[in-house]
Amino acid sequence: MPEVAKTLMLINPNSSESATAAMVALAGQVAGGGVQVQGLTNTGVPALLTTPAEIRAATAGVLELGTAAAAKGSAALMIAAFSDPGLAELRQRVKVPVVGIAESAYLAAAREGRRFAIATITPDAELLAFFKHKAITLGLEQQFCGTRVTTGDPTELVMSSDKLDHALSEAVCQAVVKDGADAVIIGGGPLTGSALRLQPHFDIPLVVPVLAATRAAVMAINKESF
């Protein structure tokens, strides 16, 4: 009798169904045959979370969706927004592994002692402070060399792949040349496509948070199976 695939539930904290579908498709490419990736989309929040206030407003929905998914048998949960909203709280509420795409990306970027930076499109000062605090809480402060933010309105950038790619490419270059980064995290689930398109143009790793979190989740699922 064939083994039933375990479910990795990807929770998109914003309200963009298209972003959820794109992230689920990408995660499914690396999850492996024993894990099925499914997606849930938060509702009643913006399609792009750009401020701490929006992120805080999304947290309640993430907790509700995650708790319900775990109760229905999901083997692991992924919070697919770069601010990891509700990560600590959800870990306290459920017994299955919970990964956040930011935390997973930091750990992946910092492997082998690499210095790493973040390239993102959200200029909010409080959010940038959160990125630094995340590095500190993970014990990676000495390897973290800052965040480079694109120029231009974030909402407009995500509507044009050409503009987004150009803006992120400039931010990555600044992180490498000016900050000395050995790896750059492309910070945000909606930026995944751009990260994949840009990687061939750079010699350093561009860490895709959704992929890093998928690999972490699959490892946790396989560990739980033994």
Side-chain angles (χ1 to χ4, degrees):
M1 187 173 180
E3 182 180 351
V4 178
K6 294 179 172 61
T7 299
L8 166 58
M9 188 61 72
L10 182 152
I11 302 168
N12 179 9
N14 72 44
S15 61
S16 172
E17 293 279 2
S18 60
T20 303
M23 290 188 288
V24 167
L26 181 66
Q29 293 176 15
V30 300
V35 176
Q36 180 185 44
V37 183
Q38 297 181 9
L40 293 171
T41 305
N42 202 7
T43 57
V45 295
L48 186 65
L49 305 178
T50 60
T51 68
E54 292 173 347
I55 291 164
R56 285 191 289 269
T59 299
V62 170
L63 296 177
E64 182 179 349
L65 291 171
T67 303
K72 293 178 181 178
S74 293
L77 309 174
M78 180 198 304
I79 299 177
F82 196 61
S83 49
D84 288 347
L87 179 61
E89 298 96 321
L90 192 54
R91 282 175 171 165
Q92 293 177 346
R93 291 191 182 193
V94 302
K95 296 182 179 179
V96 300
V98 183
V99 299
I101 66 171
E103 180 180 275
S104 299
Y106 277 55
L107 295 174
R111 283 186 192 132
E112 300 176 352
R114 289 185 300 211
R115 287 175 53 79
F116 69 95
I118 297 169
T120 191
I121 64 174
T122 49
D124 186 275
E126 189 178 345
L127 197 57
L128 298 182
F130 166 83
F131 294 158
K132 181 176 181 179
H133 180 70
K134 189 84 168 182
I136 294 171
T137 59
L138 292 172
L140 302 174
E141 182 180 9
Q142 298 304 313
Q143 293 170 248
F144 180 60
C145 47
T147 301
R148 289 287 174 175
V149 181
T150 55
T151 57
D153 180 78
T155 304
E156 292 181 4
L157 286 178
V158 297
M159 298 297 291
S160 168
S161 58
D162 288 342
K163 290 181 180 179
L164 180 61
D165 289 0
H166 178 72
L168 281 173
S169 180
E170 288 189 340
V172 171
C173 287
Q174 291 176 351
V176 173
V177 175
K178 297 183 179 181
D179 304 327
D182 302 311
V184 177
I185 299 169
I186 305 301
L191 312 184
T192 294
S194 186
L196 297 175
R197 292 189 295 270
L198 290 177
Q199 180 62 87
H201 302 287
F202 290 93
D203 294 329
I204 65 162
L206 301 185
V207 178
V208 179
V210 171
L211 293 182
T214 301
R215 295 185 180 107
V218 170
M219 288 181 62
I221 291 172
N222 290 337
K223 184 178 179 181
E224 292 281 321
S225 299
F226 288 98

